[in-house]
Every structure is written in C-alpha cells, then in structure tokens.
Amino acid sequence: MKEIILNADDFGLSAGANRGIIKAWQEGLLTSTSLMVGGDAFEEAAAFARANPGLQVGLHLTLVQGSAVLPQGGLPALTDAGGEFTDDPVLAGMRYFFLKGLRKKLRLEIDAQLAKCRDAGVELSHVDGHLNIHMHPVVFDILCELMPGYGIKSFRLTRENLTANLALDRKRLAGKCADAFIFARLADRCRPRLERLGISYAGEVKGLLNSGQMTEEYLLRVLDALGEGTTEIYFHPGCHPCATLKRRMPDYQHEAELAALTSPRVREKLARAGIRLRNYRGEEKTYV
C-alpha cells in the first residue's frame, strides 16, 4: 500500500502563511500542518486549529530564523537583544553543539514552545523543525526527554533519497548531495532512540531537497515514482502579498505550492493510483 502525509510548515508565521495553509486544508489535499509558536500569526493559527480538530497539528520547532518564546538573558546568549534567533543555520548548529552553556537555555525554550501549544488548547501529534533544526543532535536529545510528557507520538525523521530526487530534478546538485548526506547520517542517529520511545515516523520524507519548490508538476512526478509504505511530503504554501514570506523566504514558490495542494490533477492522480491520503494519527482524508 502507498500512503502519503501532506504537511504544511510555518503555520502561524504570518497572515499569508495562514491563508495558504487554511485554503490547502479546506479546499485541497493537506492532511496536517506544523505550528510556529513564535510567529506573528500564532493566535490566529491556534484558533483555527482548535476549531478544526481534523487538521492534525505538530510543533514546528523554531531555533533559527525566528523568534524565541522565552525572554533571553545572560551569556552565552541564545538570541539577540530583540529575542531573535540567528538567521544562519550553520552558525546556529555550531553554537548549539559546541557552547554547552546554551543547553539549559535550549531545553527551557523547547519546553516553552511545546507548552505554548498545549496552553493554547492545541493537541500536538508530531514534531518537526524550521530548517529541520529538530534533527540537530543536541536539540534531538532534548526533544526525546520532553516529547513523552506531551503525549507526542510522531516525529519527522528528515531524510530523502538523493538518487530518486535527482531523477526528477537536477538543480542545486552540490547542495542536494550535501543535504542528503548530512540528514541521512542524522537520521541514522535518531532512528534507534525514536524506536525505543515508541515514536513513529514516515518511511521517507520528501520536501528536503526541493524545499520551497514543491510545484504541481514536481509533485505529480513524485507521485509517479512513489514507493510502498508511508511517505511524508512537506510544503510551504502561502498567499501573497505577505511581507514576512517575502522577507524570510524570497525564493520560495509559496503560491505554486498552494496550487499543488489544491490541484485537480494531483487529486486525479491519487485516485487513479489508489494512493491513500492520511495523517500521522492514521486518519484518512477523502479526496474524491
């Protein structure tokens, strides 16, 4: 059996992100989304999640390119004076790994992001991360301590088959090779502990190597080559004009990704191929 989870990242980041995700859920094929609790439009996103319990919601853990939930102080600093994480993911990763004085602050911030969802009345089903920061070794170890206490049963184990991706799209070749190698190694490290904790994950994740470019044409080709089992495909749908999306992700095709998630051609392809559309809870979404 072939099953897919179609997830939208960045729920709560901005009004434009929220509009795209809500439309993809109401009019399209979206099965789940991931909530960015430090985003400007968090309250709107949380209210929609409470009113639509069928939309599965996870935490989009943000420790880079975004705002912290907790006020920060002391050295070493987790954020700048304005409470913003660095925009440089490599710098963030190096600091979190080598500056051991940050680890207590990281744990408090991660716990605060989980708690903010709970306190807003949003039941979290899974965890992923902005720029996949949840796979960082230090961050992952903290999450493993915290997730059971929040009843989280699923996790995005980010890795993507490089050969299969390059058969569809050979752009950004060097970057894709590096990303595929790094995340394959991180996944090898994460997998045994997830299994010990009884936390589930999809057999493969797509969206890493073509992040921001998950167009209708690309998605149709992905579905043609889809393997057996459960695959999570993640997107960044949005509606413009939106200053935050333009500033944060100027090269992402937000509206094209929304079009892919609401595409009649994609809907027809799923029906013809008998591909099941589901979320991490195993609940099926009807698309015909």
Side-chain angles (χ1 to χ4, degrees):
M1 180 179 291
K2 297 180 181 181
E3 302 178 321
I4 55 172
I5 298 166
L6 300 183
N7 191 85
D9 288 1
D10 298 342
F11 199 31
L13 171 63
S14 68
N18 285 359
R19 289 197 304 273
I21 291 167
I22 289 168
K23 184 172 182 179
W25 164 250
Q26 292 179 330
E27 302 176 24
L29 300 167
L30 192 72
T31 62
S32 61
T33 188
S34 302
L35 189 55
M36 204 171 191
V37 301
D40 293 340
F42 167 76
E43 296 297 340
E44 177 190 45
F48 187 83
R50 290 192 300 269
N52 293 269
L55 175 61
Q56 191 178 43
V57 178
L59 173 68
H60 197 51
L61 180 66
T62 305
L63 300 169
V64 62
Q65 293 185 7
S67 303
V69 169
L70 293 179
Q72 304 293 325
L75 293 174
L78 191 59
T79 67
D80 64 18
E84 295 291 311
F85 297 109
T86 176
D87 285 345
D88 185 339
V90 176
L91 176 61
M94 297 290 282
R95 293 181 77 243
Y96 299 159
F97 190 83
F98 289 108
L99 296 182
K100 294 186 178 180
L102 284 177
R103 295 188 181 185
K104 182 177 180 180
K105 294 182 178 182
L106 277 171
R107 192 183 195 283
L108 290 171
E109 175 64 24
I110 293 168
D111 192 31
Q113 291 190 26
L114 289 161
K116 187 171 180 178
C117 290
R118 179 200 61 203
D119 295 346
V122 178
E123 181 182 355
L124 293 175
S125 59
H126 63 281
V127 167
D128 53 52
H130 195 51
L131 302 187
N132 290 293
I133 194 67
H134 66 301
M135 298 281 287
H136 185 284
V138 172
V139 174
F140 175 76
D141 289 349
I142 294 169
L143 281 169
C144 286
E145 295 173 8
L146 295 174
M147 287 189 293
Y150 285 92
I152 291 168
K153 301 294 186 183
S154 304
F155 184 88
R156 178 186 291 164
L157 188 64
T158 311
R159 71 271 187 250
E160 185 168 354
N161 186 298
L162 177 64
T163 302
N165 176 269
L166 293 179
L168 304 179
D169 186 327
R170 296 189 65 83
K171 298 187 191 73
R172 207 177 62 84
L173 179 60
K176 287 182 176 182
C177 290
D179 287 345
F181 176 81
I182 291 167
F183 280 97
R185 302 289 79 73
L186 290 173
D188 287 344
R189 180 184 185 276
C190 295
R191 189 181 293 105
R193 192 160 182 192
L194 291 174
E195 292 176 352
R196 288 197 300 272
L197 290 170
I199 294 175
S200 67
Y201 52 88
E204 189 183 357
V205 171
K206 295 185 183 295
L208 170 68
L209 302 181
N210 274 60
S211 187
Q213 316 298 321
M214 302 293 287
T215 63
E216 178 190 57
E217 289 300 327
Y218 181 74
L219 179 57
L220 289 168
R221 297 173 70 193
V222 166
L223 294 176
D224 280 335
L226 196 70
E228 297 291 324
T230 302
T231 302
E232 180 190 349
I233 309 175
Y234 70 90
F235 300 79
H236 298 83
C239 294
H240 287 285
C242 177
T244 300
L245 292 180
K246 185 175 181 180
R247 175 172 59 88
R248 287 287 187 192
M249 293 164 275
D251 299 326
Y252 276 34
Q253 298 186 47
H254 297 99
E255 291 186 320
E257 294 203 1
L258 173 58
L261 287 165
T262 56
S263 164
R265 293 175 64 200
V266 172
R267 196 181 302 265
E268 291 165 7
K269 171 85 71 176
L270 294 175
R272 286 198 307 271
I275 298 171
R276 183 183 177 214
L277 192 60
R278 52 157 285 192
N279 60 25
Y280 269 113
R281 287 192 293 255
E283 299 164 343
E284 190 165 358
K285 181 169 183 176
T286 302
Y287 53 80
V288 293

